[in-house]
Amino acid sequence: MTLREHWLSGHGPIQHRAETVERIDALVRRLAASGRLARADDAYAMLAAADRLSCAAMNVVAHMTYARRIDLNGAPLAAGDFKPNPEGHTGGSLNMVPAFVAYLLANALSGKTRGWLMGQGHCVAAIEAVNALTGDVSPAQRGRYDRSEAGLRRLTTDFYSYAIDAQGLPAVPLGSHAGPNTAGAVSEGGYLGFAGLQYVHMPLPGESLVAFLSDGAFEEQRGSDWATRWWRAEDCGQAVPVMILNGRRIEQRTQIVQEGGAHWLAEDLRHNGFDPLIVDGRDPAAIAWAILEAEEALAASLAAPDFQYPARLPYVIAETEKGYGFPGAGTNAAHNLPLGGNPHTDSAARDAFNASAARLFVPGPELDAALAALANHRAQQRPLESRHPMAHRHPEAPALPEPAWEATGSQGSAMAALDRWFVELVRANPRLRVRIGNPDELASNKMGGTLALLKHRVDHPEAGVAEDQHGAVITALNEEAVAAAALANKGGLNLIVSYEAFAVKMLGLLRQEIIFARRQKELGQTPGWLSVPLVVTSHTWENAKNEQSHQDPTIGEALLGEMSDTSRVLFPVDGNSAAAALRAVYAQRAQVACLVVSKRDGAQRFDALAAQALVEQGAAHVAGDPKTSALQFVAIGAYQLEEALKARAHLARQGLECCVSVVLEPGRLRAPRDQLESAFVLSDETVHALFPPGLPRVLLCHTRPEPMLGVLRRLDDGPARTRALGYISRGGTLDVPGMLYANRCTWAHAVDAVAGWRREDVLDAPRRQAIAGKGNPADLDYPS
């Protein structure tokens, strides 16, 4: 039997359609003619190896769900060999196995290691099974999972073991979704749909990426169909999406299948500028062919003399049925537990499992030979798949120019100051690819300089408008899609700018990045991408002219709920503190930092040194001295600072000495929740020096007061001494004083909030009536 005939015979459930055979034969001839293959037989050996690795890995996936061990001789398992409580996203994982093996096969055939991304992170069993068999596991898994019987036993028993260590962290290097312990993983994939938004922005020139996408996630949102708008050969590597079209969500058919299946999807993709390829998703050879064919077709189109953007990007549709190769395939049950019962207690289910495992079984020597055929990395001088470049981003540290500091007492927009500094940052770092995620209006948000320099990326620029085919500003009225452009560009320099109220729509995507990076840090890994700022402006208080839908501080509150060493939230109060904060963010790595910045003109309160000290420490005094004060106003936000200063000035006229302090970064003052956060927050000594225990204080919060009180618990001496004002979910079409009044956040409300004196001693009758809701709000205008 020739090696080609050996491959043609398939293995287990994997068979090769005539169309696939024809395509593969043509591919092998091209590879041999180009010199990338020494002999055609080498290709057929790899193709046959991929069949066997796929079957072996599918067998391991089934065991990970149901079994406590795997018998390397293929003997059937007894009742006691099965888990009492099986768990696993089995059907999707079974479908992912031939797709991931196809990715390995494409790399082996072409001599190039591509990056990979998996949108359906719950299919991690497929990746872990293949990695354990090939030996390309993460450092934490090395020595624990391999293709020995003991190594595979540990793999199966660790899967959904729910093991926990004394610190409350997972006790095994294996989870239910892709994670930092999954060799080569760059995303958890827990939020379906985000991989489709990110993949086109990931590879740098010269790199290639294969993105495995879900047909269920295709229904999530617009954005993945816009990839052709953003891809440019000049600053993007090749990116090949591979949709696993298995036709089922958790409990019903996907919308694609309901509408007409693969051919309906292909037509939809053509309308959106893609060049779709439909292949047999049950066959690793078919998918590997599609990956290589897609790259060659795109390269050929770029070389055409009449080429013009948008490029028709490849899109592979790998048509299969959910859970192919195992009982229950194509049914709703295939999503999780495809057998009709539990093999631990049900003999019929046990017989079905053993019969399927026997069909998938690959004898040890045959598997060893298959793995050796695909393990040609050293001969081709290419890295292992776990070492693909997207999994190990560490761009050069950016040059951080000195901001053009503004004079204290002057008036100006903090957003305008931020804009001026960011332009200088980009100019100082020409080697870093820039991506600006912009769902709103850069110019109206005072970032006109950034827009003029970098321009909106469009296919056909309009004359007289800040547009360019190679612009770095990714603009669409879809917050998740544009944020994805910045978060995916981990080899470059990024910025996201949004209205505060609408940034909350980015939260799932932001959280996915935050928790993955934080988990890497917990495991002692060092993610190296440059931190990504999310600047939220046109914010709750200055968006008063719009309705309450535009008045929402939720994004900062939610991000303060994450671990503050990785998810930072900062409230600059003027231009200098905004520029200093942004500069400090870019000096760090693997953080997502939300900066809440005012765009309207305001007073410059901090000089250069004071602004940098404020950012370094997270809090500072603005006026007065806590040691000689009867009261401390604590401002968190620019408008809040102005009201605090008015309150202090008013009380000074009453002969009462008060001080005003600013909290720029509340997360620096919180009670730490673990060792990593403990190293990030201020010491008790520093906190007490800034906020002396026992001193009555009033917090004026940009956010709702309750979340901020929780974060700042170390400043809280109880309700008798600590009061908090903030957004209380009141608004409408108002002006800024109206918003402050509606939410009981004016200087007069701050004065009234102070415990220990009577209202009539510090406020005159008209003002008392106003804050009681019985007088004229205009009586609170300041100064009187």
Side-chain angles (χ1 to χ4, degrees):
M1 181 186 293
T2 67
L3 285 171
R4 180 176 179 274
E5 290 170 338
H6 182 53
W7 168 67
L8 284 174
S9 64
H11 191 90
I14 297 177
Q15 300 299 314
H16 309 297
R17 296 176 179 173
E19 178 184 56
T20 300
V21 173
E22 183 180 337
R23 288 169 166 175
I24 287 294
D25 285 342
L27 172 64
V28 172
R29 287 194 295 270
R30 290 200 306 274
L31 291 173
S34 68
R36 283 187 283 177
L37 280 175
R39 301 178 307 145
D41 277 355
D42 293 341
Y44 290 113
M46 291 183 229
L47 288 157
D51 291 348
R52 283 143 187 83
L53 176 56
S54 293
C55 286
M58 290 167 69
N59 200 18
V60 172
V61 165
H63 281 74
M64 289 172 73
T65 294
Y66 285 106
R68 289 169 162 163
R69 71 178 188 90
I70 184 167
D71 191 290
L72 295 188
N73 294 314
L77 300 184
D81 294 323
F82 291 95
K83 298 177 180 179
N85 297 296
E87 189 63 83
H89 296 84
T90 312
S93 296
L94 288 167
N95 294 150
M96 265 303 305
V97 168
F100 192 68
V101 172
Y103 154 78
L104 302 182
L105 176 59
N107 295 343
L109 288 169
S110 62
K112 179 175 183 177
T113 297
R114 294 158 181 80
W116 67 271
L117 169 70
M118 181 173 64
Q120 48 276 52
H122 56 274
C123 295
V124 69
I127 311 298
E128 301 290 14
V130 173
N131 286 349
L133 292 172
T134 64
D136 190 11
V137 294
S138 67
Q141 295 176 343
R142 195 167 296 129
R144 187 177 184 89
Y145 308 140
D146 55 35
R147 65 179 180 272
S148 69
E149 191 154 339
L152 294 176
R153 178 193 289 269
R154 284 188 289 267
L155 182 69
T156 59
T157 55
D158 283 354
F159 191 57
Y160 275 102
S161 68
Y162 305 110
I164 188 170
D165 68 13
Q167 282 73 46
L169 297 174
V172 296
L174 178 67
S176 64
H177 286 66
N181 281 326
T182 305
V186 297
S187 170
E188 179 193 298
Y191 293 82
L192 286 176
F194 292 153
L197 300 179
Q198 290 184 290
Y199 77 87
V200 75
H201 303 286
M202 285 186 168
L204 292 170
E207 298 174 349
S208 296
L209 170 73
V210 176
F212 301 105
L213 307 180
S214 157
D215 55 348
F218 183 81
E219 304 170 21
E220 288 275 325
Q221 58 197 304
R222 287 293 303 273
S224 61
D225 51 350
W226 294 336
T228 55
R229 295 189 189 185
W230 317 132
W231 190 85
R232 300 289 183 267
E234 289 78 4
D235 71 349
C236 300
Q238 287 206 333
V240 178
V242 177
M243 176 182 281
I244 311 301
L245 183 62
N246 62 30
R248 289 201 169 269
R249 296 190 292 249
I250 295 175
E251 60 182 18
Q252 69 172 131
R253 294 170 300 152
T254 60
Q255 194 65 33
I256 292 171
V257 169
Q258 293 181 47
E259 292 290 344
H263 292 283
W264 175 88
L265 174 61
E267 188 61 26
D268 181 76
L269 291 166
R270 289 188 190 96
H271 284 305
N272 285 290
F274 290 95
D275 184 15
L277 287 168
I278 301 174
V279 298
D280 182 3
R282 303 162 181 83
D283 184 348
I287 302 173
W289 171 85
I291 292 169
L292 299 178
E293 178 70 17
E295 292 179 346
E296 289 183 10
L298 179 57
S301 70
L302 294 171
D306 58 346
F307 171 79
Q308 57 181 330
Y309 287 110
R312 294 196 68 82
L313 295 183
Y315 201 108
V316 178
I317 303 169
E319 193 174 18
T320 184
E321 62 178 351
K322 196 156 194 176
Y324 177 75
F326 198 74
T331 68
N332 286 339
H335 175 75
N336 192 30
L337 300 172
L339 296 176
N342 184 351
H344 184 70
T345 56
D346 186 321
S347 61
R350 188 161 59 250
D351 290 344
F353 179 96
N354 284 325
S356 178
R359 190 178 182 210
L360 292 167
F361 177 69
V362 181
E366 197 172 341
L367 178 59
D368 289 343
L371 292 167
L374 292 170
N376 56 8
H377 303 79
R378 183 172 297 177
Q380 294 176 337
Q381 297 184 318
R382 63 183 180 91
L384 292 169
E385 279 70 21
S386 63
R387 300 299 303 174
H388 71 83
M390 276 140 278
H392 302 277
R393 290 293 193 211
H394 199 284
E396 63 187 50
L400 301 172
E402 187 82 5
W405 305 108
E406 300 175 38
T408 54
S410 61
Q411 292 284 317
S413 163
M415 279 298 296
L418 187 152
D419 178 52
R420 289 191 292 272
W421 183 80
F422 185 75
V423 166
E424 294 307 311
L425 174 70
V426 172
R427 287 174 172 158
N429 295 280
R431 291 186 293 180
L432 290 173
R433 181 175 67 176
V434 180
R435 287 291 182 270
I436 311 294
N438 170 50
D440 303 312
E441 310 157 274
L442 282 182
S444 73
N445 282 327
K446 301 292 182 73
M447 293 206 70
T450 296
L451 181 59
L453 176 67
L454 297 174
K455 299 181 174 57
H456 298 290
R457 176 166 293 202
V458 298
D459 292 329
H460 306 291
E462 181 183 0
V465 179
E467 295 179 347
D468 191 274
Q469 273 194 349
H470 302 284
V473 181
I474 306 301
T475 302
L477 290 177
N478 178 311
E479 282 75 10
E480 289 171 326
V482 299
L487 291 166
N489 180 38
K490 290 186 169 60
L493 197 61
N494 302 285
L495 179 69
I496 309 169
V497 184
S498 175
Y499 278 33
E500 182 181 32
F502 304 142
V504 70
K505 292 191 280 184
M506 303 175 184
L507 182 57
L509 178 63
L510 295 168
R511 188 167 185 268
Q512 179 169 274
E513 298 293 333
I514 290 164
I515 60 179
F516 195 90
R518 188 40 152 74
R519 184 69 177 133
Q520 287 180 296
K521 296 173 185 178
E522 290 171 357
L523 295 168
Q525 300 175 15
T526 53
W529 45 274
L530 303 177
S531 293
V532 179
L534 162 63
V535 175
V536 295
T537 187
S538 292
H539 62 56
T540 298
W541 302 96
E542 63 189 2
N543 224 346
K545 68 175 184 178
N546 289 310
E547 273 298 332
Q548 200 168 353
S549 60
H550 288 53
Q551 300 154 358
D552 183 3
T554 297
I555 187 65
E557 296 167 356
L559 292 176
L560 278 168
E562 304 301 326
M563 305 306 284
S564 291
D565 55 280
T566 303
S567 173
R568 301 179 64 186
V569 183
L570 302 96
F571 297 88
V573 294
D574 61 7
N576 285 346
S577 59
L582 190 62
R583 187 173 187 243
V585 168
Y586 284 119
Q588 302 299 317
R589 294 183 187 262
Q591 295 175 340
V592 173
C594 177
L595 280 70
V596 184
V597 184
S598 301
K599 72 175 183 180
R600 297 189 180 191
D601 286 355
Q604 186 63 53
R605 297 294 182 182
F606 285 82
D607 64 19
L609 292 177
Q612 292 173 91
L614 172 63
V615 172
E616 176 66 25
Q617 189 162 249
H621 299 307
V622 179
D625 184 346
K627 296 177 182 177
T628 59
S629 295
L631 170 71
Q632 185 175 32
F633 291 108
V634 180
I636 308 164
Y639 289 97
Q640 289 63 39
L641 174 57
E642 297 308 311
E643 296 305 302
L645 290 171
K646 292 173 188 176
R648 176 179 183 268
H650 175 82
L651 292 175
R653 292 204 297 271
Q654 314 297 315
L656 296 167
E657 180 62 26
C658 303
C659 66
V660 174
S661 304
V662 163
V663 172
L664 174 98
E665 188 169 5
R668 299 292 305 283
L669 280 69
R670 75 183 316 145
R673 293 165 286 181
D674 67 7
Q675 291 183 340
L676 289 175
E677 203 170 49
S678 181
F680 179 78
V681 303
L682 300 181
S683 66
D684 286 342
E685 181 181 20
T686 302
V687 171
H688 293 160
L690 286 164
F691 304 98
L695 181 64
R697 56 182 58 93
V698 176
L699 277 61
L700 291 88
C701 308
H702 175 97
T703 64
R704 296 173 181 88
E706 294 86 359
M708 197 59 73
L709 273 172
V711 172
L712 299 179
R713 187 68 182 85
R714 295 166 79 193
L715 278 58
D716 186 356
D717 287 323
R721 289 188 173 272
T722 304
R723 304 285 178 85
L725 310 179
Y727 180 66
I728 57 173
S729 298
R730 300 181 68 181
T733 304
L734 303 167
D735 57 11
V736 173
M739 275 294 291
L740 292 166
Y741 181 82
N743 288 281
R744 303 173 192 157
C745 288
T746 69
W747 67 270
H749 289 92
V751 168
D752 182 58
V754 178
W757 54 52
R758 298 180 305 165
R759 180 179 293 175
E760 53 266 31
D761 291 338
V762 292
L763 293 169
D764 58 28
R767 286 166 171 161
R768 293 199 304 272
Q769 288 290 98
I771 63 172
K774 300 176 182 178
N776 184 357
D779 287 332
L780 301 186
D781 290 349
Y782 190 93
S784 56

